Amino acid sequence: VQAQAPQMATGVTIIEATCAQGAQEVCNGLDDNCNGQIDEGCGYQSGNIQITLAWNTGADLDMYVTDPNGETISYSHTTSNSGGNLDHDARGACNPNQANANIENVYWQQDNPPNGVYGVEVHYWSGSGCSTNAGTTQLTLSVAVGGRIIGAYNYTINPNQRIQVIACQV
């Protein structure tokens, strides 16, 4: 499985992340140990496609990944007919007892996920006081395809904002 360079929304910046072979993996939405998997050991899965969202406040961010067949995976639809799975839905300060409460993860484990465009949107849900009190939030979105990190991106999002962060041809 291979991917072309993603198209990014205005305001999205590429993270020039460095990793170190053999480093301990930190649950931060990045590949800290250079093995092509994001946050392994943090309680969620990787696969031939892995898309991980992390953020730095108590905000409740929701990730929406639309596969090439037009089916969207999210907290309300956690699996797709194409084999995609949301295995970690987080609520930030709205669920403080959850492990890794600031990370969401979607993956396709099968050998041949569908070819085409994968779109990734993020929504800052501000329908409750626990989330709106978080204010402006920096998010990190990392994408691995075929065991290789194809990119890590930052964006600063505001309450109630919804944006397509990237679209990636796989």
Side-chain angles (χ1 to χ4, degrees), residues 14 29 49-50 57 62 94 121 125 131 158 162:
I14 297 173
I49 297 175
Q50 180 184 5
T57 70
D62 293 314
C94 296
E121 291 181 71
W125 189 75
S131 184
N158 294 304
R162 184 170 176 158

Side-chain angles (χ1 to χ4, degrees), residues 3 6 8 16 30 34 48 79 94 132 158 169:
M8 302 179 298
E16 299 297 333
L30 298 169
C34 306
N48 268 319
T79 61
C94 296
T132 52
N158 294 304
Q169 176 75 39

Side-chain angles (χ1 to χ4, degrees), residues 1-4 49 66-69 113-119 167-170:
V1 180
Q2 296 183 350
Q4 298 175 2
I49 297 175
T66 302
D67 70 16
N69 300 326
N115 292 325
V117 175
Y118 290 77
C168 182
Q169 176 75 39
V170 173

